Amino acid sequence: MSTHLIFIRHAQSTWNELRRWQGHADPPLAESGREQARLLARRLATWRIDHIYTSDLRRAAETAGIVGEQMGLTPTPSAIWRERGFGALEGLTSEEIAAQFPEAWAARMFGPITGIPGAEVQEAVIARARAGVAGLLQNHPGQTVAVVSHGGLILTTLVNLLGLPPSGHALLTVGGNTAISRVVVDGEHVRLMSMNDAAHLELWLGEPV
């Protein structure tokens, strides 16, 4: 029995517009993000989706709410789908991180970023991702479930689902806002059907994401 999992990165937040790392920080969607979410919802309205789960952070929950309203589904919020907490990096731009934490920034080329004061340890993120997926498979066998989450958490989830080593974090990309990645799980067999699909934004006239 195959279970289809659809992982969706949240739409553009006010901090995404400023290129600031967010982690557990909780900025809302920007107006550009609400338009992205509406385009996403229009596309997903033609898909068969049985349930929607979402991170409880506003940028994801607002995105899921717009999608759910279009599809007649009420998203289920859960902190398990939150972004990794980035501690001292939260609120900084990539340029500021590279200047203030050069060793941690360089570590991104080989795996998940490490050595950040106050950050959630990667082992805890992996445990959350595994628990989240296990819950979906247990509660929704044979169904199609969408999860609106965050780039880092989605990346960790995919790396672990596909059985990749930690270097998979450096080989795969988190994708842009509202990017869709689809996985089919059939017992112990996992197939990546698509990754970082944002075709619904191709005709969007907003700023590039």
Side-chain angles (χ1 to χ4, degrees):
M1 180 182 298
S2 298
T3 302
H4 294 247
L5 304 180
I6 303 171
F7 297 101
I8 304 167
R9 189 181 177 203
H10 62 82
Q12 191 173 55
S13 73
T14 54
W15 278 24
N16 284 140
E17 286 187 323
L18 299 172
R19 309 294 185 184
R20 297 196 179 280
W21 282 45
Q22 297 168 105
H24 286 178
D26 201 19
L29 289 184
E31 186 51 47
S32 57
R34 295 187 183 93
E35 178 59 23
Q36 290 176 345
R38 286 189 284 268
L39 293 171
L40 170 69
R42 189 182 309 165
R43 182 181 184 194
L44 295 182
T46 63
W47 294 23
R48 177 204 155 211
I49 295 177
D50 299 298
H51 299 274
I52 301 175
Y53 286 79
T54 179
S55 158
D56 61 345
L57 295 175
R58 282 191 293 174
R59 56 194 184 274
E62 288 182 30
T63 302
I66 292 170
V67 171
E69 183 177 9
Q70 177 76 40
M71 304 187 73
L73 296 171
T74 300
T76 300
S78 173
I80 205 167
W81 297 112
R82 279 188 172 202
E83 181 59 288
R84 177 185 179 186
F86 285 116
L89 302 189
E90 294 182 6
L92 301 182
T93 65
S94 294
E95 292 76 15
E96 290 168 339
I97 294 169
Q100 296 179 36
F101 302 96
E103 291 185 2
W105 186 249
R108 296 169 54 258
M109 303 305 294
F110 306 98
I113 196 165
T114 58
I116 299 301
E120 182 180 10
V121 297
Q122 183 63 15
E123 290 77 12
V125 184
I126 293 170
R128 279 203 287 123
R130 288 176 174 167
V133 169
L136 297 181
L137 297 178
Q138 179 179 347
N139 295 326
H140 306 288
Q143 296 185 317
T144 299
V145 182
V147 178
V148 181
S149 186
H150 308 265
L153 197 282
I154 291 172
L155 180 58
T156 294
T157 302
L158 293 177
V159 165
N160 282 271
L161 267 175
L162 298 172
L164 299 177
S167 60
H169 289 80
L171 299 175
L172 304 180
T173 177
V174 298
N177 293 112
T178 70
I180 302 167
S181 297
R182 296 188 297 149
V183 173
V184 175
V185 181
D186 190 355
E188 297 298 317
H189 185 58
V190 178
R191 287 175 292 161
L192 179 64
M193 307 301 291
S194 64
M195 187 171 182
N196 299 334
D197 173 6
H200 47 280
L201 300 184
E202 288 183 357
L203 299 180
W204 186 51
L205 298 180
E207 292 295 324
V209 297

